[in-house]
């Protein structure tokens, strides 16, 4: 039974039986993520006061300028997850290869891998716009007692055992699923505790918000252009409202609460799409489906895509079920 204002710790303990491999492991893993999130949140909230904003002078594996907070968040999440005896490997959007964690006794007995985007939307930090962290958890497939392998990370999204995000905004929220619905917890900064504020979160079946970078309109496939025109038509419940923050976590979070669709399609500038399958699309798709929404690449279910590489990019359509279905109909008519 969901009780509003439960702490995250109480909620995890009460719902531990829903986790397929119940032995306190999920509790320790989510605890390490919530701890790292509190540390990163502290830095995000003082970003205008100290030298933590701006570019770090390096680029990540994606060829993108790393922001100082990107690097800081990446280090803090890796450090916190490594110190808990549960994770055998970590893959980050900020790192070229995965990290192997042998464990205290160097026995490689830990069972889970975590994939993450440590600070999504970090280019917004300098202008005080919400950013977030996205995480995805899988049970390893390689034999326990051996070092983690690439195959442990290249699993289709439907094999996730948990996924979630933290949004650092006017309030800080942790939203996650273990495959039994979606629940949101808000950080009380005075007490340092997370409280259940948004139980059993659901996408409305339809909405009136569409979120896309329309500056790329000329580069989009014909099907996407036609869907945008559909959203802008004066008919019945349209035109829809255009809302695009440029932070996937923030756009997704708003659309889940209010009803809407987020899409980042292929384009002549990004022929494979821009968002990463493993660090962004799979965890958000898992959350969306658990909240009654839908997520696809415009043609196929995101969670059924077989990953080929760690930093694979895919087009992404995600949000209220009926809106995503409608977008897919336009893509089917004009895929090029």
């Amino acid at each position: 039974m969901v009780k509003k204002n439960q702490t995250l710790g109480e909620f995890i303990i009460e719902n531990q039986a829903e986790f397929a491999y119940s032995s306190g492991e999920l509790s320790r893993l989510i605890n390490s993520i919530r701890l790292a999130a509190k540390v990163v949140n502290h830095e995000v909230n003082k970003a205008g006061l100290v030298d933590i904003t701006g570019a770090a002078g390096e680029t990540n594996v994606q060829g993108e300028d790393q922001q100082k907070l990107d690097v800081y968040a990446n280090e803090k999440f890796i450090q916190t997850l490594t110190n808990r005896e549960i994770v055998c490997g970590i893959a980050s959007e900020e790192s070229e290869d995965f990290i192997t964690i042998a464990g205290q006794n160097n026995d490689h007995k830990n069972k889970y891998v975590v994939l993450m985007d440590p600070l999504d939307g970090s280019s917004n930090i300098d202008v005080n716009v919400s950013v977030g962290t996205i995480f995805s958890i899988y049970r390893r497939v390689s034999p326990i007692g051996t070092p983690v392998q690439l195959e442990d990370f290249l699993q289709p999204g439907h094999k996730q055992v948990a996924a979630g995000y933290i949004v650092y905004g006017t309030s800080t929220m942790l939203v996650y699923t273990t495959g039994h619905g979606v629940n949101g917890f808000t950080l009380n900064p005075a007490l340092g505790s997370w409280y259940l504020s948004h139980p059993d979160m659901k996408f409305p079946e339809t909405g009136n918000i569409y979120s896309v970078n329309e500056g790329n309109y000329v580069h989009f496939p014909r099907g996407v252009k036609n869907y945008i025109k559909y959203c802008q038509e004066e008919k019945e419940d349209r035109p829809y409202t255009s809302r695009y923050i440029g932070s996937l976590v923030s756009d997704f979070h708003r659309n889940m609460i209010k009803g809407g669709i987020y899409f980042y399609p292929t384009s002549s500038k990004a022929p494979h799409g821009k968002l990463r399958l493993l660090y962004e699309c799979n965890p958000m798709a898992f959350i969306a489906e658990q909240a009654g929404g839908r997520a696809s690449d415009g043609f196929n279910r995101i969670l059924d895509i077989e990953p080929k590489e760690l930093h694979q990019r895919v087009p992404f359509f995600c949000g209220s079920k009926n809106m995503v279905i409608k977008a897919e109909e336009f893509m089917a008519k004009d895929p090029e």
Side-chain angles (χ1 to χ4, degrees):
M1 179 180 161
V2 173
K3 301 170 192 166
K4 204 166 179 182
N5 294 324
Q6 261 186 320
T7 66
L8 177 55
E10 290 169 343
F11 181 88
I12 291 171
I13 292 168
E14 195 167 294
N15 295 276
Q16 184 77 42
E18 291 181 347
F19 190 53
Y21 312 99
S22 179
S23 60
E25 296 166 331
L26 176 65
S27 176
R28 285 159 50 208
L29 190 43
I30 298 295
N31 275 337
S32 61
I33 289 170
R34 72 175 180 176
L35 174 60
K38 282 198 288 189
V39 175
V40 171
N41 176 67
H42 181 69
E43 292 302 313
V44 168
N45 285 338
K46 66 179 186 181
L49 301 174
V50 296
D51 186 26
I52 197 76
T53 61
E58 298 178 1
T59 57
N60 63 16
V61 66
Q62 319 296 338
E64 301 161 340
D65 289 337
Q66 282 184 310
Q67 306 296 310
K68 291 175 186 175
L69 263 176
D70 274 343
V71 178
Y72 180 86
N74 195 46
E75 290 173 352
K76 284 301 169 189
F77 273 96
I78 290 173
Q79 181 184 56
T80 307
L81 288 166
T82 301
N83 290 341
R84 302 285 173 124
E85 284 294 298
I86 189 167
V87 174
C88 60
I90 301 169
S92 168
E93 184 182 310
E94 300 299 324
S95 306
E96 186 169 357
D97 208 349
F98 62 83
I99 298 166
T100 300
I101 300 169
Q104 265 187 347
N105 300 318
N106 204 37
D107 53 13
H108 299 282
K109 286 193 174 177
N110 297 335
K111 301 172 185 172
Y112 297 93
V113 295
V114 174
L115 299 94
M116 64 178 179
D117 180 352
L119 206 65
D120 170 71
S122 58
S123 60
N124 286 322
I125 279 284
D126 288 352
V127 292
N128 207 16
V129 170
S130 298
V131 293
T133 295
I134 306 171
F135 62 91
S136 173
I137 302 169
Y138 293 84
R139 192 171 169 90
R140 68 183 298 174
V141 293
S142 61
I144 292 173
T146 63
V148 69
Q149 303 294 321
L150 182 60
E151 66 188 274
D152 294 310
F153 299 94
L154 299 185
Q155 299 186 57
H158 64 256
K159 292 191 175 179
Q160 290 173 100
V161 295
Y165 62 82
I166 301 103
V167 57
Y168 311 103
T170 49
S171 61
T172 300
M173 278 191 67
L174 188 158
V175 176
Y176 83 100
T177 182
T178 58
H180 298 274
V182 179
N183 292 282
F185 300 80
T186 299
L187 178 66
N188 181 330
L191 301 176
S193 298
W194 303 86
Y195 290 91
L196 179 60
S197 54
H198 294 66
D200 195 24
M201 299 179 77
K202 294 289 184 187
F203 266 101
E205 283 202 357
T206 192
N208 64 357
I209 297 172
Y210 71 100
S211 307
V212 62
N213 184 353
E214 292 185 77
N216 289 327
Y217 180 88
V218 296
H219 303 286
F220 288 153
R222 175 61 55 192
V224 174
K225 290 178 179 176
N226 289 341
Y227 179 65
I228 292 173
K229 288 175 183 173
Y230 168 85
C231 292
Q232 296 170 340
E233 282 178 340
E234 283 198 71
K235 282 188 180 178
E236 299 169 358
D237 57 344
R238 288 173 279 142
Y240 296 151
T241 300
S242 175
R243 291 284 183 271
Y244 184 74
I245 298 170
S247 164
L248 171 60
V249 166
S250 301
D251 281 312
F252 179 97
H253 187 71
R254 180 203 55 241
N255 289 354
M256 179 161 60
I257 292 171
K258 295 191 171 184
I261 180 173
Y262 173 97
F263 49 109
Y264 209 115
T266 57
S267 68
S268 55
K269 292 200 304 182
H272 301 293
K274 186 183 178 187
L275 300 181
R276 267 63 58 156
L277 174 62
L278 294 178
Y279 311 114
E280 295 162 315
C281 301
N282 270 345
M284 292 313 224
F286 188 26
I287 296 166
E289 289 196 5
Q290 285 298 312
R294 186 179 177 96
S296 77
D297 63 0
F299 305 95
N300 309 295
R301 182 182 181 226
I302 287 290
L303 297 183
D304 288 337
I305 297 174
E306 293 284 345
K308 300 288 190 286
E309 56 187 60
L310 276 178
H311 298 283
Q312 181 175 339
R313 298 176 191 258
V314 293
F316 192 52
F317 296 75
C318 181
S320 294
K321 189 174 182 180
N322 293 344
M323 298 182 81
V324 176
I325 289 172
K326 178 60 73 173
E328 290 169 352
E329 289 173 3
F330 278 95
M331 290 298 294
K333 290 176 189 172
D334 285 293
E336 297 301 324

